[in-house]
Amino acid sequence: MLQLYDLFLKTGLRPFAFMSDTLHLEQNVTRSDMSTLLILLFRGDLTMSELAAEMGAPLSSMTSIAKRLERKGYIARATSAQDQRVKLVTLTQEGRLLGKQWESIMLGMLGRLETAFSTEEMEQFTTLLFKAARVFQEGGPLKPHETMTRPIKIKIEE
Amino acid sequence: MLQLYDLFLKTGLRPFAFMSDTLHLEQNVTRSDMSTLLILLFRGDLTMSELAAEMGAPLSSMTSIAKRLERKGYIARATSAQDQRVKLVTLTQEGRLLGKQWESIMLGMLGRLETAFSTEEMEQFTTLLFKAARVFQEGGPLKPHETMTRPIKIKIEE
DNA sequence: AATAATTACTACGATATCGTACTAAAGGGG
DNA sequence: CCCCTTTAGTACGATATCGTAGTAATTATT
């Protein structure tokens, strides 16, 4: 359990730093940049607000990030025809390319996880992870007792 | 599995933002600050280098953080008697107090997890989490997107 | 239709992180 | 001892995030 604190404390400062050596291709581009490109790749063109929401970042931060990415030539911003206020963000050819590069890296990571985990473990892992995330985010007062979903028990190979 | 990407993308930018609302007591102090105080609380007095290592941050960042915390009166830095180069970082009374406050918040979080999870789930969760972390950090060559043998899928009742 | 409120962003300034270059103390031959 | 290397930390500058305060376009209200 102490390990859990440990992971938390490290991850708190430098998100996923523990895997960052592996992700050394992050050269020259921020983590935010990477996230943005990947989101655009997955979700298609989005407005600034939508992007910000997907990223979980404030809109003002999103502006900075977008400006940077535009300067580097990875995205383009065009004002929408229907509503002059909204800007539609699109991947350029280069941006799409870079995004795909990262996608494949992430697939590689995932693949590594999948080779290390059995299928059951994998499912367990994701299920539990999201359950945990849900528990944390839908905060509320710390209740001592709550109904819970039926536990699934499998044996884990170390 | 898409969800996993999702979590990654959000967490990548704003570490643990998904639980940050709950941690609203973070007012006025950085995540790094919090980590630092907690580490000092758990591990006792440390040198700058040791602290940096625990945090997983570069030493130069640690200097900034320490300076800030010193200015706010949460830590004190004293040069070691044996080696004039090293600075020993200590919690002040105030720092210790604040640290304990956060410790109890974290305990609360953990408690919430424990009420939501069964004992088996909890065990599996931590085990899998660390297994995953290990997989990522001691990464091998990581060839992007190799096709790999997919294990047989077994369905698990939720 | 004129005004008020809201929405979708951007600008700007404050503060954070971190790479590189530097300084000073400690250790290690010769 | 003196020089050379290593170690522990700081300084500084570049770049990032993000809260607050604007601005312009849209929608609502009377």
PDB file of all heavy atoms in Angstrom, chain C residues 15-27:
ATOM      1  P    DT C  15       2.800  35.512  -8.729  1.00  0.00           P
ATOM      2  OP1  DT C  15       2.111  35.515  -7.443  1.00  0.00           O
ATOM      3  OP2  DT C  15       4.040  36.290  -8.983  1.00  0.00           O
ATOM      4  O5'  DT C  15       3.116  33.987  -9.102  1.00  0.00           O
ATOM      5  C5'  DT C  15       2.040  33.065  -9.171  1.00  0.00           C
ATOM      6  C4'  DT C  15       2.499  31.842  -9.908  1.00  0.00           C
ATOM      7  O4'  DT C  15       2.778  32.158 -11.285  1.00  0.00           O
ATOM      8  C3'  DT C  15       3.791  31.220  -9.349  1.00  0.00           C
ATOM      9  O3'  DT C  15       3.539  29.849  -9.172  1.00  0.00           O
ATOM     10  C2'  DT C  15       4.794  31.480 -10.456  1.00  0.00           C
ATOM     11  C1'  DT C  15       3.884  31.389 -11.666  1.00  0.00           C
ATOM     12  N1   DT C  15       4.425  31.900 -12.945  1.00  0.00           N
ATOM     13  C2   DT C  15       4.332  31.078 -14.037  1.00  0.00           C
ATOM     14  O2   DT C  15       3.815  29.976 -14.000  1.00  0.00           O
ATOM     15  N3   DT C  15       4.863  31.600 -15.192  1.00  0.00           N
ATOM     16  C4   DT C  15       5.463  32.827 -15.348  1.00  0.00           C
ATOM     17  O4   DT C  15       5.903  33.180 -16.434  1.00  0.00           O
ATOM     18  C5   DT C  15       5.519  33.646 -14.152  1.00  0.00           C
ATOM     19  C7   DT C  15       6.148  34.989 -14.210  1.00  0.00           C
ATOM     20  C6   DT C  15       5.001  33.147 -13.025  1.00  0.00           C
ATOM     21  P    DA C  16       4.517  28.941  -8.299  1.00  0.00           P
ATOM     22  OP1  DA C  16       3.820  28.676  -7.049  1.00  0.00           O
ATOM     23  OP2  DA C  16       5.866  29.552  -8.319  1.00  0.00           O
ATOM     24  O5'  DA C  16       4.592  27.590  -9.139  1.00  0.00           O
ATOM     25  C5'  DA C  16       3.962  27.508 -10.366  1.00  0.00           C
ATOM     26  C4'  DA C  16       4.295  26.240 -11.090  1.00  0.00           C
ATOM     27  O4'  DA C  16       4.564  26.624 -12.449  1.00  0.00           O
ATOM     28  C3'  DA C  16       5.524  25.455 -10.622  1.00  0.00           C
ATOM     29  O3'  DA C  16       5.311  24.061 -10.730  1.00  0.00           O
ATOM     30  C2'  DA C  16       6.636  25.954 -11.534  1.00  0.00           C
ATOM     31  C1'  DA C  16       5.908  26.416 -12.793  1.00  0.00           C
ATOM     32  N9   DA C  16       6.456  27.690 -13.283  1.00  0.00           N
ATOM     33  C8   DA C  16       6.604  28.848 -12.578  1.00  0.00           C
ATOM     34  N7   DA C  16       7.161  29.822 -13.266  1.00  0.00           N
ATOM     35  C5   DA C  16       7.380  29.243 -14.505  1.00  0.00           C
ATOM     36  C6   DA C  16       7.950  29.745 -15.675  1.00  0.00           C
ATOM     37  N6   DA C  16       8.415  30.991 -15.793  1.00  0.00           N
ATOM     38  N1   DA C  16       8.024  28.921 -16.741  1.00  0.00           N
ATOM     39  C2   DA C  16       7.562  27.675 -16.630  1.00  0.00           C
ATOM     40  N3   DA C  16       7.002  27.090 -15.576  1.00  0.00           N
ATOM     41  C4   DA C  16       6.942  27.936 -14.529  1.00  0.00           C
ATOM     42  P    DT C  17       6.500  23.109 -10.321  1.00  0.00           P
ATOM     43  OP1  DT C  17       5.849  21.899  -9.808  1.00  0.00           O
ATOM     44  OP2  DT C  17       7.457  23.850  -9.493  1.00  0.00           O
ATOM     45  O5'  DT C  17       7.204  22.760 -11.709  1.00  0.00           O
ATOM     46  C5'  DT C  17       6.411  22.242 -12.768  1.00  0.00           C
ATOM     47  C4'  DT C  17       7.278  22.026 -13.990  1.00  0.00           C
ATOM     48  O4'  DT C  17       7.732  23.304 -14.479  1.00  0.00           O
ATOM     49  C3'  DT C  17       8.535  21.185 -13.749  1.00  0.00           C
ATOM     50  O3'  DT C  17       8.620  20.260 -14.816  1.00  0.00           O
ATOM     51  C2'  DT C  17       9.648  22.215 -13.769  1.00  0.00           C
ATOM     52  C1'  DT C  17       9.105  23.238 -14.758  1.00  0.00           C
ATOM     53  N1   DT C  17       9.608  24.629 -14.632  1.00  0.00           N
ATOM     54  C2   DT C  17      10.103  25.258 -15.755  1.00  0.00           C
ATOM     55  O2   DT C  17      10.179  24.714 -16.839  1.00  0.00           O
ATOM     56  N3   DT C  17      10.525  26.552 -15.549  1.00  0.00           N
ATOM     57  C4   DT C  17      10.484  27.261 -14.365  1.00  0.00           C
ATOM     58  O4   DT C  17      10.884  28.421 -14.318  1.00  0.00           O
ATOM     59  C5   DT C  17       9.941  26.555 -13.233  1.00  0.00           C
ATOM     60  C7   DT C  17       9.854  27.231 -11.904  1.00  0.00           C
ATOM     61  C6   DT C  17       9.542  25.297 -13.415  1.00  0.00           C
ATOM     62  P    DC C  18       9.625  19.057 -14.717  1.00  0.00           P
ATOM     63  OP1  DC C  18       9.015  17.939 -15.448  1.00  0.00           O
ATOM     64  OP2  DC C  18      10.071  18.904 -13.327  1.00  0.00           O
ATOM     65  O5'  DC C  18      10.862  19.601 -15.563  1.00  0.00           O
ATOM     66  C5'  DC C  18      10.628  20.101 -16.876  1.00  0.00           C
ATOM     67  C4'  DC C  18      11.935  20.593 -17.457  1.00  0.00           C
ATOM     68  O4'  DC C  18      12.151  21.955 -17.034  1.00  0.00           O
ATOM     69  C3'  DC C  18      13.173  19.817 -17.002  1.00  0.00           C
ATOM     70  O3'  DC C  18      14.057  19.753 -18.100  1.00  0.00           O
ATOM     71  C2'  DC C  18      13.736  20.694 -15.901  1.00  0.00           C
ATOM     72  C1'  DC C  18      13.453  22.058 -16.486  1.00  0.00           C
ATOM     73  N1   DC C  18      13.470  23.222 -15.549  1.00  0.00           N
ATOM     74  C2   DC C  18      13.715  24.493 -16.073  1.00  0.00           C
ATOM     75  O2   DC C  18      13.896  24.605 -17.287  1.00  0.00           O
ATOM     76  N3   DC C  18      13.747  25.556 -15.243  1.00  0.00           N
ATOM     77  C4   DC C  18      13.537  25.389 -13.936  1.00  0.00           C
ATOM     78  N4   DC C  18      13.575  26.476 -13.156  1.00  0.00           N
ATOM     79  C5   DC C  18      13.279  24.097 -13.376  1.00  0.00           C
ATOM     80  C6   DC C  18      13.257  23.052 -14.221  1.00  0.00           C
ATOM     81  P    DG C  19      14.920  18.461 -18.361  1.00  0.00           P
ATOM     82  OP1  DG C  19      14.003  17.453 -18.914  1.00  0.00           O
ATOM     83  OP2  DG C  19      15.683  18.177 -17.121  1.00  0.00           O
ATOM     84  O5'  DG C  19      15.954  18.914 -19.493  1.00  0.00           O
ATOM     85  C5'  DG C  19      15.488  19.698 -20.605  1.00  0.00           C
ATOM     86  C4'  DG C  19      16.572  20.664 -21.048  1.00  0.00           C
ATOM     87  O4'  DG C  19      16.551  21.852 -20.212  1.00  0.00           O
ATOM     88  C3'  DG C  19      17.995  20.116 -20.959  1.00  0.00           C
ATOM     89  O3'  DG C  19      18.733  20.567 -22.095  1.00  0.00           O
ATOM     90  C2'  DG C  19      18.518  20.697 -19.647  1.00  0.00           C
ATOM     91  C1'  DG C  19      17.800  22.041 -19.564  1.00  0.00           C
ATOM     92  N9   DG C  19      17.498  22.473 -18.205  1.00  0.00           N
ATOM     93  C8   DG C  19      17.008  21.690 -17.184  1.00  0.00           C
ATOM     94  N7   DG C  19      16.822  22.337 -16.072  1.00  0.00           N
ATOM     95  C5   DG C  19      17.205  23.636 -16.364  1.00  0.00           C
ATOM     96  C6   DG C  19      17.227  24.792 -15.540  1.00  0.00           C
ATOM     97  O6   DG C  19      16.884  24.896 -14.351  1.00  0.00           O
ATOM     98  N1   DG C  19      17.699  25.906 -16.229  1.00  0.00           N
ATOM     99  C2   DG C  19      18.100  25.904 -17.554  1.00  0.00           C
ATOM    100  N2   DG C  19      18.515  27.063 -18.026  1.00  0.00           N
ATOM    101  N3   DG C  19      18.085  24.834 -18.328  1.00  0.00           N
ATOM    102  C4   DG C  19      17.633  23.740 -17.678  1.00  0.00           C
ATOM    103  P    DT C  20      20.244  20.239 -22.311  1.00  0.00           P
ATOM    104  OP1  DT C  20      20.448  20.157 -23.757  1.00  0.00           O
ATOM    105  OP2  DT C  20      20.575  19.108 -21.420  1.00  0.00           O
ATOM    106  O5'  DT C  20      21.003  21.531 -21.764  1.00  0.00           O
ATOM    107  C5'  DT C  20      20.614  22.807 -22.245  1.00  0.00           C
ATOM    108  C4'  DT C  20      21.610  23.846 -21.767  1.00  0.00           C
ATOM    109  O4'  DT C  20      21.228  24.280 -20.440  1.00  0.00           O
ATOM    110  C3'  DT C  20      23.051  23.355 -21.651  1.00  0.00           C
ATOM    111  O3'  DT C  20      23.914  24.407 -22.060  1.00  0.00           O
ATOM    112  C2'  DT C  20      23.202  23.044 -20.172  1.00  0.00           C
ATOM    113  C1'  DT C  20      22.303  24.099 -19.545  1.00  0.00           C
ATOM    114  N1   DT C  20      21.709  23.753 -18.228  1.00  0.00           N
ATOM    115  C2   DT C  20      21.532  24.751 -17.304  1.00  0.00           C
ATOM    116  O2   DT C  20      21.852  25.905 -17.507  1.00  0.00           O
ATOM    117  N3   DT C  20      20.972  24.336 -16.114  1.00  0.00           N
ATOM    118  C4   DT C  20      20.579  23.055 -15.780  1.00  0.00           C
ATOM    119  O4   DT C  20      20.098  22.815 -14.678  1.00  0.00           O
ATOM    120  C5   DT C  20      20.789  22.059 -16.797  1.00  0.00           C
ATOM    121  C7   DT C  20      20.395  20.638 -16.537  1.00  0.00           C
ATOM    122  C6   DT C  20      21.335  22.447 -17.973  1.00  0.00           C
ATOM    123  P    DA C  21      25.490  24.221 -22.098  1.00  0.00           P
ATOM    124  OP1  DA C  21      25.948  24.625 -23.435  1.00  0.00           O
ATOM    125  OP2  DA C  21      25.858  22.899 -21.551  1.00  0.00           O
ATOM    126  O5'  DA C  21      25.930  25.340 -21.048  1.00  0.00           O
ATOM    127  C5'  DA C  21      25.179  26.551 -20.973  1.00  0.00           C
ATOM    128  C4'  DA C  21      25.611  27.308 -19.725  1.00  0.00           C
ATOM    129  O4'  DA C  21      24.882  26.815 -18.577  1.00  0.00           O
ATOM    130  C3'  DA C  21      27.092  27.127 -19.394  1.00  0.00           C
ATOM    131  O3'  DA C  21      27.621  28.374 -18.940  1.00  0.00           O
ATOM    132  C2'  DA C  21      27.089  26.084 -18.302  1.00  0.00           C
ATOM    133  C1'  DA C  21      25.798  26.431 -17.573  1.00  0.00           C
ATOM    134  N9   DA C  21      25.230  25.313 -16.815  1.00  0.00           N
ATOM    135  C8   DA C  21      25.115  24.003 -17.205  1.00  0.00           C
ATOM    136  N7   DA C  21      24.563  23.225 -16.298  1.00  0.00           N
ATOM    137  C5   DA C  21      24.290  24.082 -15.246  1.00  0.00           C
ATOM    138  C6   DA C  21      23.702  23.878 -13.984  1.00  0.00           C
ATOM    139  N6   DA C  21      23.276  22.692 -13.549  1.00  0.00           N
ATOM    140  N1   DA C  21      23.586  24.948 -13.168  1.00  0.00           N
ATOM    141  C2   DA C  21      24.014  26.131 -13.607  1.00  0.00           C
ATOM    142  N3   DA C  21      24.580  26.455 -14.766  1.00  0.00           N
ATOM    143  C4   DA C  21      24.682  25.363 -15.548  1.00  0.00           C
ATOM    144  P    DC C  22      29.157  28.555 -18.547  1.00  0.00           P
ATOM    145  OP1  DC C  22      29.599  29.930 -18.915  1.00  0.00           O
ATOM    146  OP2  DC C  22      29.882  27.365 -19.051  1.00  0.00           O
ATOM    147  O5'  DC C  22      29.089  28.491 -16.959  1.00  0.00           O
ATOM    148  C5'  DC C  22      28.567  29.634 -16.288  1.00  0.00           C
ATOM    149  C4'  DC C  22      28.386  29.324 -14.819  1.00  0.00           C
ATOM    150  O4'  DC C  22      27.670  28.085 -14.685  1.00  0.00           O
ATOM    151  C3'  DC C  22      29.695  29.135 -14.045  1.00  0.00           C
ATOM    152  O3'  DC C  22      29.891  30.261 -13.190  1.00  0.00           O
ATOM    153  C2'  DC C  22      29.486  27.840 -13.264  1.00  0.00           C
ATOM    154  C1'  DC C  22      28.006  27.537 -13.435  1.00  0.00           C
ATOM    155  N1   DC C  22      27.684  26.076 -13.471  1.00  0.00           N
ATOM    156  C2   DC C  22      27.037  25.511 -12.363  1.00  0.00           C
ATOM    157  O2   DC C  22      26.761  26.240 -11.397  1.00  0.00           O
ATOM    158  N3   DC C  22      26.753  24.181 -12.383  1.00  0.00           N
ATOM    159  C4   DC C  22      27.073  23.435 -13.447  1.00  0.00           C
ATOM    160  N4   DC C  22      26.763  22.144 -13.426  1.00  0.00           N
ATOM    161  C5   DC C  22      27.720  24.005 -14.582  1.00  0.00           C
ATOM    162  C6   DC C  22      28.012  25.305 -14.553  1.00  0.00           C
ATOM    163  P    DT C  23      31.309  30.375 -12.362  1.00  0.00           P
ATOM    164  OP1  DT C  23      31.538  31.807 -12.086  1.00  0.00           O
ATOM    165  OP2  DT C  23      32.322  29.526 -13.028  1.00  0.00           O
ATOM    166  O5'  DT C  23      30.912  29.671 -10.996  1.00  0.00           O
ATOM    167  C5'  DT C  23      29.839  30.201 -10.209  1.00  0.00           C
ATOM    168  C4'  DT C  23      29.822  29.485  -8.874  1.00  0.00           C
ATOM    169  O4'  DT C  23      29.292  28.151  -9.069  1.00  0.00           O
ATOM    170  C3'  DT C  23      31.210  29.326  -8.257  1.00  0.00           C
ATOM    171  O3'  DT C  23      31.115  29.611  -6.874  1.00  0.00           O
ATOM    172  C2'  DT C  23      31.551  27.868  -8.515  1.00  0.00           C
ATOM    173  C1'  DT C  23      30.175  27.210  -8.487  1.00  0.00           C
ATOM    174  N1   DT C  23      30.040  25.956  -9.266  1.00  0.00           N
ATOM    175  C2   DT C  23      29.387  24.894  -8.693  1.00  0.00           C
ATOM    176  O2   DT C  23      28.913  24.922  -7.576  1.00  0.00           O
ATOM    177  N3   DT C  23      29.304  23.779  -9.483  1.00  0.00           N
ATOM    178  C4   DT C  23      29.797  23.614 -10.765  1.00  0.00           C
ATOM    179  O4   DT C  23      29.658  22.568 -11.374  1.00  0.00           O
ATOM    180  C5   DT C  23      30.471  24.771 -11.306  1.00  0.00           C
ATOM    181  C7   DT C  23      31.049  24.706 -12.688  1.00  0.00           C
ATOM    182  C6   DT C  23      30.564  25.876 -10.547  1.00  0.00           C
ATOM    183  P    DA C  24      32.440  29.939  -6.036  1.00  0.00           P
ATOM    184  OP1  DA C  24      32.238  31.267  -5.410  1.00  0.00           O
ATOM    185  OP2  DA C  24      33.630  29.667  -6.874  1.00  0.00           O
ATOM    186  O5'  DA C  24      32.374  28.841  -4.897  1.00  0.00           O
ATOM    187  C5'  DA C  24      31.115  28.498  -4.329  1.00  0.00           C
ATOM    188  C4'  DA C  24      31.199  27.110  -3.758  1.00  0.00           C
ATOM    189  O4'  DA C  24      31.025  26.141  -4.821  1.00  0.00           O
ATOM    190  C3'  DA C  24      32.544  26.780  -3.111  1.00  0.00           C
ATOM    191  O3'  DA C  24      32.291  26.028  -1.960  1.00  0.00           O
ATOM    192  C2'  DA C  24      33.236  25.926  -4.170  1.00  0.00           C
ATOM    193  C1'  DA C  24      32.032  25.155  -4.694  1.00  0.00           C
ATOM    194  N9   DA C  24      32.190  24.526  -5.995  1.00  0.00           N
ATOM    195  C8   DA C  24      32.776  25.047  -7.113  1.00  0.00           C
ATOM    196  N7   DA C  24      32.774  24.233  -8.147  1.00  0.00           N
ATOM    197  C5   DA C  24      32.139  23.102  -7.669  1.00  0.00           C
ATOM    198  C6   DA C  24      31.817  21.874  -8.267  1.00  0.00           C
ATOM    199  N6   DA C  24      32.107  21.578  -9.537  1.00  0.00           N
ATOM    200  N1   DA C  24      31.193  20.954  -7.504  1.00  0.00           N
ATOM    201  C2   DA C  24      30.906  21.260  -6.234  1.00  0.00           C
ATOM    202  N3   DA C  24      31.142  22.384  -5.561  1.00  0.00           N
ATOM    203  C4   DA C  24      31.778  23.272  -6.341  1.00  0.00           C
ATOM    204  P    DA C  25      33.342  26.060  -0.757  1.00  0.00           P
ATOM    205  OP1  DA C  25      32.755  26.884   0.315  1.00  0.00           O
ATOM    206  OP2  DA C  25      34.683  26.363  -1.307  1.00  0.00           O
ATOM    207  O5'  DA C  25      33.331  24.540  -0.285  1.00  0.00           O
ATOM    208  C5'  DA C  25      32.079  23.963   0.058  1.00  0.00           C
ATOM    209  C4'  DA C  25      32.128  22.490  -0.247  1.00  0.00           C
ATOM    210  O4'  DA C  25      32.314  22.313  -1.669  1.00  0.00           O
ATOM    211  C3'  DA C  25      33.283  21.754   0.429  1.00  0.00           C
ATOM    212  O3'  DA C  25      32.735  20.693   1.182  1.00  0.00           O
ATOM    213  C2'  DA C  25      34.160  21.264  -0.727  1.00  0.00           C
ATOM    214  C1'  DA C  25      33.178  21.216  -1.883  1.00  0.00           C
ATOM    215  N9   DA C  25      33.734  21.395  -3.220  1.00  0.00           N
ATOM    216  C8   DA C  25      34.322  22.503  -3.724  1.00  0.00           C
ATOM    217  N7   DA C  25      34.702  22.390  -4.974  1.00  0.00           N
ATOM    218  C5   DA C  25      34.328  21.109  -5.317  1.00  0.00           C
ATOM    219  C6   DA C  25      34.445  20.370  -6.510  1.00  0.00           C
ATOM    220  N6   DA C  25      35.002  20.847  -7.622  1.00  0.00           N
ATOM    221  N1   DA C  25      33.962  19.114  -6.521  1.00  0.00           N
ATOM    222  C2   DA C  25      33.392  18.632  -5.411  1.00  0.00           C
ATOM    223  N3   DA C  25      33.221  19.235  -4.224  1.00  0.00           N
ATOM    224  C4   DA C  25      33.715  20.474  -4.251  1.00  0.00           C
ATOM    225  P    DA C  26      33.686  19.759   2.049  1.00  0.00           P
ATOM    226  OP1  DA C  26      32.814  19.218   3.115  1.00  0.00           O
ATOM    227  OP2  DA C  26      34.912  20.513   2.352  1.00  0.00           O
ATOM    228  O5'  DA C  26      34.033  18.552   1.058  1.00  0.00           O
ATOM    229  C5'  DA C  26      32.957  17.933   0.394  1.00  0.00           C
ATOM    230  C4'  DA C  26      33.370  16.607  -0.223  1.00  0.00           C
ATOM    231  O4'  DA C  26      33.833  16.867  -1.570  1.00  0.00           O
ATOM    232  C3'  DA C  26      34.488  15.833   0.468  1.00  0.00           C
ATOM    233  O3'  DA C  26      34.120  14.458   0.413  1.00  0.00           O
ATOM    234  C2'  DA C  26      35.727  16.167  -0.358  1.00  0.00           C
ATOM    235  C1'  DA C  26      35.136  16.383  -1.740  1.00  0.00           C
ATOM    236  N9   DA C  26      35.806  17.386  -2.574  1.00  0.00           N
ATOM    237  C8   DA C  26      36.213  18.638  -2.204  1.00  0.00           C
ATOM    238  N7   DA C  26      36.771  19.331  -3.179  1.00  0.00           N
ATOM    239  C5   DA C  26      36.717  18.461  -4.261  1.00  0.00           C
ATOM    240  C6   DA C  26      37.142  18.600  -5.598  1.00  0.00           C
ATOM    241  N6   DA C  26      37.736  19.699  -6.075  1.00  0.00           N
ATOM    242  N1   DA C  26      36.942  17.548  -6.422  1.00  0.00           N
ATOM    243  C2   DA C  26      36.344  16.452  -5.937  1.00  0.00           C
ATOM    244  N3   DA C  26      35.892  16.206  -4.700  1.00  0.00           N
ATOM    245  C4   DA C  26      36.116  17.265  -3.910  1.00  0.00           C
ATOM    246  P    DG C  27      35.017  13.312   1.034  1.00  0.00           P
ATOM    247  OP1  DG C  27      34.031  12.395   1.644  1.00  0.00           O
ATOM    248  OP2  DG C  27      36.087  13.951   1.827  1.00  0.00           O
ATOM    249  O5'  DG C  27      35.707  12.540  -0.195  1.00  0.00           O
ATOM    250  C5'  DG C  27      35.194  12.694  -1.425  1.00  0.00           C
ATOM    251  C4'  DG C  27      35.912  11.897  -2.493  1.00  0.00           C
ATOM    252  O4'  DG C  27      36.522  12.869  -3.376  1.00  0.00           O
ATOM    253  C3'  DG C  27      37.045  10.953  -2.124  1.00  0.00           C
ATOM    254  O3'  DG C  27      37.064   9.917  -3.097  1.00  0.00           O
ATOM    255  C2'  DG C  27      38.289  11.848  -2.228  1.00  0.00           C
ATOM    256  C1'  DG C  27      37.915  12.712  -3.408  1.00  0.00           C
ATOM    257  N9   DG C  27      38.479  14.061  -3.433  1.00  0.00           N
ATOM    258  C8   DG C  27      38.551  14.962  -2.394  1.00  0.00           C
ATOM    259  N7   DG C  27      39.099  16.102  -2.737  1.00  0.00           N
ATOM    260  C5   DG C  27      39.396  15.935  -4.093  1.00  0.00           C
ATOM    261  C6   DG C  27      39.996  16.831  -5.001  1.00  0.00           C
ATOM    262  O6   DG C  27      40.402  17.982  -4.809  1.00  0.00           O
ATOM    263  N1   DG C  27      40.113  16.263  -6.269  1.00  0.00           N
ATOM    264  C2   DG C  27      39.687  14.999  -6.600  1.00  0.00           C
ATOM    265  N2   DG C  27      39.883  14.625  -7.872  1.00  0.00           N
ATOM    266  N3   DG C  27      39.127  14.157  -5.760  1.00  0.00           N
ATOM    267  C4   DG C  27      39.012  14.688  -4.521  1.00  0.00           C
TER     268       DG C  27
END
